[in-house]
Structure formats: C-alpha cells, structure tokens
Amino acid sequence: MAKNQTILIRVTEDQKDAIKRTSTSMRMTVTEFLLYGAMKTISEIELNESINNDVNRGIGRSRYK
C-alpha cells in the first residue's frame, strides 16, 4: 500500500527534542517512531473495546462463580 497521506502536528521545542532524542535511541526515524506509537495506541484501544464488547455480551465470563 502506497503511503501518500500526510499528518502535521504542532509541538513545543522541548517536545520535538524529546521525540527526536527518543526516536534516535530506538534507531527509528521520527516518522517511524510517531507512526509506531500511534498504531500501538490504536491496537490497544481496539483490543480493549473488543474485550469490553465480549464482556457486555457475556462472552468470556466464567461459568463458575
């Protein structure tokens, strides 16, 4: 899949420096680091929503109380 979309964010100079420093320490580009963080967060939220939906439907509840 071709990457042809752009997202711009405004950050403080301190935030930018922290992002650069951390991405470098992880041997990632700033873009890779920010995309990794965003996709990880999305995955965690979707997993939690899925678990909550299962619980609300009674799936995953123990038969033994």
Side-chain angles (χ1 to χ4, degrees):
M1 181 182 325
K3 296 178 183 177
N4 60 4
Q5 300 299 308
T6 302
I7 297 174
L8 263 52
I9 61 171
R10 292 190 169 285
V11 296
T12 66
E13 188 172 345
D14 288 343
Q15 291 169 327
K16 182 180 177 182
D17 291 343
I19 291 167
K20 280 184 167 185
R21 185 175 55 254
T22 306
S23 65
T24 299
S25 74
M26 295 182 69
R27 295 192 166 125
M28 300 170 112
T29 66
V30 169
T31 299
E32 290 168 337
F33 176 72
L34 293 174
L35 182 59
Y36 170 81
M39 297 310 295
K40 182 178 177 192
T41 301
I42 290 167
S43 177
E44 290 169 355
I45 289 169
E46 288 177 346
L47 178 61
N48 285 333
E49 287 174 352
S50 176
I51 290 169
N52 288 338
N53 288 338
D54 288 350
V55 168
N56 290 337
R57 289 194 319 255
I59 298 171
R61 287 189 189 155
S62 175
R63 300 186 281 210
Y64 311 104
K65 293 185 180 185

Coordinates of all heavy atoms in Angstrom, one line a residue:
M1 N 0.8 -1.2 0.0 CA 0.0 0.0 0.0 C 0.9 1.2 0.0 O 1.8 1.4 0.8 CB -0.9 0.0 1.2 CG -1.8 1.1 1.3 SD -2.9 1.2 2.8 CE -3.3 -0.4 3.2
A2 N 0.7 2.1 -0.9 CA 1.5 3.3 -1.0 C 1.1 4.3 0.1 O -0.1 4.5 0.4 CB 1.3 4.0 -2.4
K3 N 2.1 4.9 0.6 CA 1.9 6.0 1.6 C 1.8 7.3 0.9 O 2.8 7.8 0.4 CB 3.0 5.9 2.7 CG 3.0 4.6 3.5 CD 4.1 4.7 4.5 CE 4.2 3.4 5.2 NZ 5.4 3.4 6.1
N4 N 0.6 7.9 0.9 CA 0.5 9.2 0.2 C -0.3 10.2 1.0 O -0.7 11.2 0.5 CB -0.1 9.0 -1.2 CG -1.5 8.4 -1.1 OD1 -2.1 8.2 0.0 ND2 -2.1 8.1 -2.2
Q5 N -0.4 10.0 2.3 CA -1.2 10.9 3.1 C -0.2 11.6 4.1 O 0.8 10.9 4.5 CB -2.3 10.2 3.9 CG -3.3 9.6 3.0 CD -4.0 10.7 2.1 OE1 -4.5 11.7 2.6 NE2 -4.0 10.4 0.8
T6 N -0.5 12.8 4.6 CA 0.4 13.5 5.5 C -0.4 14.0 6.7 O -1.6 14.4 6.6 CB 1.0 14.7 4.8 OG1 1.8 14.3 3.7 CG2 1.9 15.5 5.7
I7 N 0.2 13.9 7.9 CA -0.4 14.4 9.1 C 0.6 15.4 9.7 O 1.8 15.0 9.8 CB -0.7 13.3 10.1 CG1 -1.8 12.4 9.6 CG2 -1.1 13.9 11.4 CD1 -2.0 11.1 10.5
L8 N 0.2 16.6 10.0 CA 1.0 17.6 10.7 C 0.6 17.8 12.1 O -0.6 17.8 12.3 CB 0.9 18.9 9.9 CG 2.0 19.3 8.9 CD1 2.2 18.2 7.9 CD2 1.7 20.6 8.3
I9 N 1.5 17.9 13.0 CA 1.2 18.2 14.4 C 2.1 19.3 14.9 O 3.2 19.5 14.4 CB 1.3 17.0 15.3 CG1 2.8 16.4 15.4 CG2 0.4 15.8 14.9 CD1 3.0 15.4 16.4
R10 N 1.5 20.1 15.8 CA 2.3 21.2 16.4 C 2.8 20.7 17.8 O 2.0 20.1 18.5 CB 1.4 22.4 16.5 CG 1.0 23.1 15.2 CD 0.3 24.4 15.5 NE 0.1 25.2 14.4 CZ 1.1 25.9 13.7 NH1 2.3 25.8 14.1 NH2 0.9 26.6 12.7
V11 N 4.0 20.9 18.0 CA 4.6 20.6 19.3 C 5.5 21.7 19.7 O 6.0 22.5 19.0 CB 5.5 19.2 19.2 CG1 4.6 18.1 18.8 CG2 6.6 19.4 18.1
T12 N 5.8 21.7 21.0 CA 6.8 22.6 21.5 C 8.2 22.2 21.2 O 8.4 21.0 20.7 CB 6.7 22.7 23.1 OG1 7.2 21.5 23.6 CG2 5.3 23.1 23.6
E13 N 9.2 23.1 21.3 CA 10.5 22.7 21.0 C 11.0 21.6 21.9 O 11.7 20.7 21.5 CB 11.4 24.0 21.2 CG 12.8 23.7 20.7 CD 13.7 25.0 20.6 OE1 13.1 26.1 20.7 OE2 14.9 24.8 20.5
D14 N 10.6 21.6 23.2 CA 11.0 20.6 24.1 C 10.4 19.2 23.7 O 11.1 18.2 23.8 CB 10.6 20.9 25.5 CG 11.4 22.0 26.2 OD1 12.5 22.3 25.6 OD2 10.9 22.6 27.2
Q15 N 9.2 19.2 23.3 CA 8.5 18.0 22.8 C 9.2 17.5 21.6 O 9.5 16.3 21.5 CB 7.1 18.2 22.5 CG 6.2 18.5 23.8 CD 4.8 19.0 23.4 OE1 4.6 19.7 22.5 NE2 3.9 18.6 24.3
K16 N 9.5 18.4 20.6 CA 10.2 18.0 19.4 C 11.6 17.3 19.8 O 12.0 16.3 19.2 CB 10.4 19.2 18.5 CG 11.1 18.8 17.2 CD 11.2 20.0 16.3 CE 12.0 19.7 15.0 NZ 12.2 20.9 14.2
D17 N 12.3 18.0 20.7 CA 13.6 17.5 21.1 C 13.5 16.1 21.7 O 14.3 15.2 21.4 CB 14.4 18.4 22.0 CG 14.8 19.7 21.3 OD1 14.9 19.8 20.1 OD2 15.0 20.7 22.1
A18 N 12.5 15.9 22.6 CA 12.3 14.6 23.2 C 11.9 13.5 22.2 O 12.4 12.4 22.3 CB 11.2 14.7 24.3
I19 N 11.1 13.9 21.2 CA 10.7 12.9 20.2 C 11.9 12.5 19.4 O 12.2 11.4 19.1 CB 9.6 13.5 19.3 CG1 8.3 13.6 20.1 CG2 9.4 12.7 18.0 CD1 7.2 14.5 19.4
K20 N 12.7 13.5 19.0 CA 13.9 13.2 18.2 C 14.9 12.4 19.0 O 15.5 11.4 18.5 CB 14.6 14.5 17.8 CG 14.0 15.2 16.6 CD 14.9 16.4 16.2 CE 14.5 17.0 14.9 NZ 15.4 18.1 14.5
R21 N 15.1 12.7 20.2 CA 16.1 12.0 21.1 C 15.6 10.6 21.3 O 16.4 9.6 21.1 CB 16.2 12.7 22.4 CG 17.2 12.2 23.4 CD 17.3 13.0 24.7 NE 16.1 13.2 25.4 CZ 15.4 14.3 25.4 NH1 15.8 15.4 24.8 NH2 14.2 14.4 26.1
T22 N 14.3 10.4 21.6 CA 13.8 9.0 21.8 C 13.8 8.2 20.5 O 14.2 7.0 20.6 CB 12.4 9.1 22.5 OG1 12.5 9.9 23.6 CG2 12.0 7.7 22.9
S23 N 13.4 8.8 19.4 CA 13.4 8.0 18.2 C 14.8 7.6 17.8 O 15.0 6.5 17.3 CB 12.7 8.8 17.1 OG 13.4 10.0 16.7
T24 N 15.7 8.5 18.0 CA 17.1 8.1 17.7 C 17.6 7.0 18.6 O 18.3 6.1 18.1 CB 18.0 9.4 17.8 OG1 17.6 10.4 16.9 CG2 19.5 9.0 17.6
S25 N 17.3 7.1 19.8 CA 17.7 6.0 20.8 C 17.1 4.6 20.4 O 17.7 3.6 20.7 CB 17.4 6.4 22.2 OG 16.0 6.2 22.5
M26 N 15.9 4.7 19.7 CA 15.3 3.4 19.3 C 15.7 3.0 17.9 O 15.1 2.1 17.3 CB 13.8 3.6 19.5 CG 13.3 3.7 20.9 SD 11.5 3.8 21.0 CE 11.1 2.2 20.6
R27 N 16.6 3.8 17.3 CA 17.1 3.6 15.9 C 15.9 3.6 14.9 O 15.8 2.8 14.0 CB 17.9 2.3 15.8 CG 19.1 2.3 16.6 CD 20.0 1.1 16.3 NE 21.3 1.4 16.8 CZ 22.0 0.5 17.6 NH1 21.4 -0.6 18.0 NH2 23.2 0.8 18.1
M28 N 15.1 4.6 15.1 CA 13.9 4.9 14.3 C 14.0 6.3 13.8 O 14.6 7.2 14.4 CB 12.6 4.6 15.0 CG 12.4 3.3 15.5 SD 10.9 3.2 16.6 CE 9.9 2.2 15.6
T29 N 13.4 6.5 12.6 CA 13.2 7.9 12.2 C 12.1 8.5 13.0 O 11.3 7.8 13.7 CB 12.8 8.0 10.7 OG1 11.5 7.4 10.5 CG2 13.9 7.3 9.8
V30 N 12.0 9.8 13.0 CA 10.9 10.5 13.8 C 9.5 9.9 13.2 O 8.6 9.6 14.0 CB 11.0 12.0 13.7 CG1 9.7 12.7 14.2 CG2 12.2 12.5 14.4
T31 N 9.4 9.8 11.9 CA 8.2 9.3 11.3 C 7.9 7.9 11.8 O 6.7 7.6 12.2 CB 8.3 9.4 9.8 OG1 8.4 10.8 9.4 CG2 7.0 8.9 9.1
E32 N 8.8 7.0 11.7 CA 8.6 5.7 12.2 C 8.2 5.6 13.6 O 7.3 4.9 14.0 CB 9.9 4.8 12.0 CG 10.3 4.6 10.5 CD 11.7 4.0 10.4 OE1 12.6 4.2 11.3 OE2 11.9 3.4 9.3
F33 N 8.9 6.4 14.4 CA 8.6 6.4 15.9 C 7.2 6.9 16.2 O 6.5 6.3 16.9 CB 9.6 7.3 16.6 CG 9.4 7.5 18.0 CD1 9.6 6.5 18.9 CD2 8.9 8.7 18.5 CE1 9.4 6.6 20.3 CE2 8.7 8.9 19.9 CZ 9.0 7.8 20.8
L34 N 6.8 8.0 15.5 CA 5.4 8.5 15.8 C 4.4 7.6 15.2 O 3.3 7.3 15.9 CB 5.3 9.9 15.1 CG 6.1 11.0 15.8 CD1 6.0 12.3 15.0 CD2 5.7 11.2 17.3
L35 N 4.6 7.0 14.0 CA 3.7 6.0 13.5 C 3.6 4.8 14.4 O 2.5 4.3 14.6 CB 4.0 5.6 12.1 CG 3.1 4.7 11.3 CD1 1.7 5.3 11.3 CD2 3.6 4.4 9.9
Y36 N 4.7 4.3 14.8 CA 4.7 3.1 15.7 C 3.9 3.4 17.0 O 3.0 2.6 17.4 CB 6.2 2.8 16.1 CG 6.3 1.8 17.2 CD1 6.1 0.4 17.0 CD2 6.5 2.2 18.6 CE1 6.2 -0.5 18.0 CE2 6.6 1.3 19.6 CZ 6.5 -0.1 19.3 OH 6.5 -1.0 20.3
G37 N 4.1 4.6 17.6 CA 3.3 4.9 18.8 C 1.9 5.1 18.5 O 1.0 4.6 19.3
A38 N 1.5 5.7 17.4 CA 0.1 5.8 17.1 C -0.6 4.5 16.8 O -1.7 4.2 17.3 CB -0.1 6.7 15.9
M39 N 0.1 3.6 16.1 CA -0.5 2.3 15.7 C -0.6 1.4 17.0 O -1.5 0.7 17.2 CB 0.3 1.6 14.6 CG 0.3 2.4 13.3 SD -1.4 2.9 12.7 CE -2.1 1.3 12.4
K40 N 0.4 1.5 17.9 CA 0.3 0.8 19.1 C -0.9 1.2 20.0 O -1.6 0.3 20.5 CB 1.6 0.9 19.9 CG 1.7 0.2 21.2 CD 3.0 0.3 21.9 CE 3.0 -0.4 23.2 NZ 4.2 0.0 24.0
T41 N -1.1 2.5 20.1 CA -2.2 3.0 20.8 C -3.5 2.6 20.2 O -4.4 2.1 20.9 CB -2.1 4.6 20.9 OG1 -0.9 4.9 21.5 CG2 -3.3 5.1 21.7
I42 N -3.6 2.6 18.9 CA -4.8 2.2 18.2 C -5.1 0.7 18.5 O -6.2 0.3 18.8 CB -4.7 2.5 16.7 CG1 -4.8 4.0 16.4 CG2 -5.8 1.7 15.9 CD1 -4.4 4.3 15.0
S43 N -4.1 -0.1 18.4 CA -4.2 -1.5 18.7 C -4.7 -1.8 20.1 O -5.6 -2.6 20.3 CB -2.9 -2.2 18.4 OG -3.0 -3.6 18.7
E44 N -4.1 -1.1 21.1 CA -4.6 -1.2 22.5 C -6.0 -0.8 22.7 O -6.8 -1.5 23.4 CB -3.6 -0.4 23.4 CG -2.2 -1.0 23.5 CD -1.2 -0.1 24.1 OE1 -1.6 1.1 24.5 OE2 -0.1 -0.5 24.3
I45 N -6.4 0.3 22.1 CA -7.8 0.8 22.2 C -8.8 -0.2 21.6 O -9.8 -0.6 22.2 CB -7.9 2.2 21.6 CG1 -7.2 3.2 22.5 CG2 -9.4 2.5 21.4 CD1 -7.1 4.5 21.8
E46 N -8.4 -0.7 20.4 CA -9.3 -1.7 19.7 C -9.4 -3.0 20.5 O -10.5 -3.6 20.6 CB -8.8 -1.9 18.3 CG -9.0 -0.7 17.4 CD -8.5 -0.9 16.0 OE1 -7.7 -1.9 15.8 OE2 -8.9 -0.1 15.1
L47 N -8.3 -3.4 21.1 CA -8.3 -4.6 21.9 C -9.2 -4.4 23.1 O -10.1 -5.3 23.4 CB -6.9 -5.0 22.3 CG -6.8 -6.3 23.2 CD1 -7.4 -7.5 22.5 CD2 -5.4 -6.5 23.6
N48 N -9.1 -3.3 23.8 CA -9.9 -3.0 25.0 C -11.4 -2.9 24.6 O -12.2 -3.5 25.3 CB -9.5 -1.7 25.7 CG -8.2 -1.9 26.4 OD1 -7.9 -3.0 26.9 ND2 -7.4 -0.9 26.6
E49 N -11.7 -2.3 23.5 CA -13.1 -2.2 23.0 C -13.6 -3.6 22.7 O -14.8 -3.9 23.0 CB -13.2 -1.3 21.8 CG -13.0 0.1 22.1 CD -13.0 1.0 20.8 OE1 -12.9 0.5 19.7 OE2 -13.0 2.2 21.0
S50 N -12.8 -4.5 22.1 CA -13.2 -5.8 21.8 C -13.5 -6.6 23.1 O -14.5 -7.3 23.2 CB -12.2 -6.5 20.9 OG -12.5 -7.9 20.7
I51 N -12.6 -6.5 24.0 CA -12.8 -7.2 25.3 C -14.1 -6.7 26.0 O -14.9 -7.5 26.5 CB -11.6 -7.0 26.2 CG1 -10.4 -7.8 25.6 CG2 -11.9 -7.4 27.6 CD1 -9.0 -7.5 26.3
N52 N -14.2 -5.4 26.0 CA -15.4 -4.8 26.7 C -16.7 -5.3 26.0 O -17.7 -5.6 26.6 CB -15.4 -3.3 26.7 CG -14.3 -2.8 27.7 OD1 -14.0 -3.4 28.6 ND2 -13.9 -1.5 27.4
N53 N -16.7 -5.4 24.6 CA -17.9 -5.8 23.9 C -18.1 -7.3 24.2 O -19.3 -7.7 24.4 CB -17.7 -5.7 22.4 CG -17.7 -4.2 22.0 OD1 -18.3 -3.4 22.7 ND2 -17.2 -3.9 20.8
D54 N -17.1 -8.1 24.3 CA -17.3 -9.5 24.7 C -17.9 -9.6 26.1 O -18.8 -10.5 26.3 CB -15.9 -10.3 24.6 CG -15.4 -10.5 23.2 OD1 -16.2 -10.2 22.3 OD2 -14.3 -10.9 23.0
V55 N -17.4 -8.9 27.0 CA -17.9 -8.9 28.4 C -19.3 -8.5 28.4 O -20.2 -9.1 29.1 CB -17.0 -8.1 29.3 CG1 -17.7 -7.9 30.7 CG2 -15.6 -8.7 29.5
N56 N -19.7 -7.4 27.7 CA -21.0 -7.0 27.7 C -22.0 -8.0 27.0 O -23.2 -8.0 27.4 CB -21.1 -5.6 26.9 CG -20.5 -4.5 27.7 OD1 -20.3 -4.6 28.9 ND2 -20.1 -3.5 27.0
R57 N -21.5 -8.8 26.1 CA -22.3 -9.8 25.5 C -22.3 -11.1 26.3 O -22.9 -12.1 25.9 CB -21.8 -10.1 24.1 CG -22.2 -9.0 23.1 CD -22.0 -9.4 21.7 NE -20.8 -10.2 21.4 CZ -19.7 -9.8 20.9 NH1 -19.5 -8.6 20.5 NH2 -18.7 -10.6 20.7
G58 N -21.5 -11.2 27.4 CA -21.4 -12.4 28.2 C -20.4 -13.3 27.8 O -20.3 -14.4 28.3
I59 N -19.6 -13.0 26.8 CA -18.6 -13.9 26.3 C -17.4 -13.7 27.2 O -17.0 -12.6 27.5 CB -18.2 -13.5 24.8 CG1 -19.4 -13.7 23.9 CG2 -17.0 -14.4 24.4 CD1 -19.2 -13.2 22.5
G60 N -16.8 -14.8 27.6 CA -15.6 -14.8 28.4 C -15.8 -14.8 29.9 O -14.9 -14.8 30.7
R61 N -17.1 -14.8 30.2 CA -17.4 -14.9 31.7 C -17.3 -16.4 32.1 O -17.6 -17.3 31.4 CB -18.9 -14.4 31.9 CG -19.0 -13.0 31.8 CD -20.4 -12.6 32.3 NE -20.7 -11.2 32.0 CZ -21.9 -10.7 31.9 NH1 -22.9 -11.4 32.0 NH2 -22.0 -9.4 31.6
S62 N -16.8 -16.5 33.3 CA -16.6 -17.8 33.8 C -18.0 -18.5 34.1 O -18.9 -17.8 34.6 CB -15.8 -17.8 35.1 OG -15.7 -19.0 35.7
R63 N -18.1 -19.8 33.9 CA -19.3 -20.5 34.3 C -19.3 -20.7 35.8 O -20.4 -21.0 36.3 CB -19.4 -21.8 33.6 CG -19.4 -21.8 32.1 CD -19.6 -23.2 31.6 NE -18.3 -23.9 31.7 CZ -18.0 -24.9 30.8 NH1 -18.8 -25.2 29.9 NH2 -16.9 -25.5 30.9
Y64 N -18.2 -20.7 36.3 CA -18.0 -21.0 37.7 C -17.9 -19.7 38.5 O -17.0 -18.9 38.4 CB -16.8 -21.8 38.0 CG -16.7 -23.0 37.0 CD1 -15.8 -23.0 35.9 CD2 -17.5 -24.1 37.2 CE1 -15.8 -24.0 35.0 CE2 -17.5 -25.2 36.3 CZ -16.6 -25.1 35.2 OH -16.6 -26.2 34.3
K65 N -18.9 -19.5 39.4 CA -18.9 -18.2 40.2 C -18.7 -18.6 41.6 O -19.1 -19.6 42.1 CB -20.2 -17.5 40.0 CG -20.3 -17.0 38.6 CD -21.5 -16.1 38.4 CE -21.6 -15.6 37.0 NZ -22.7 -14.7 36.8

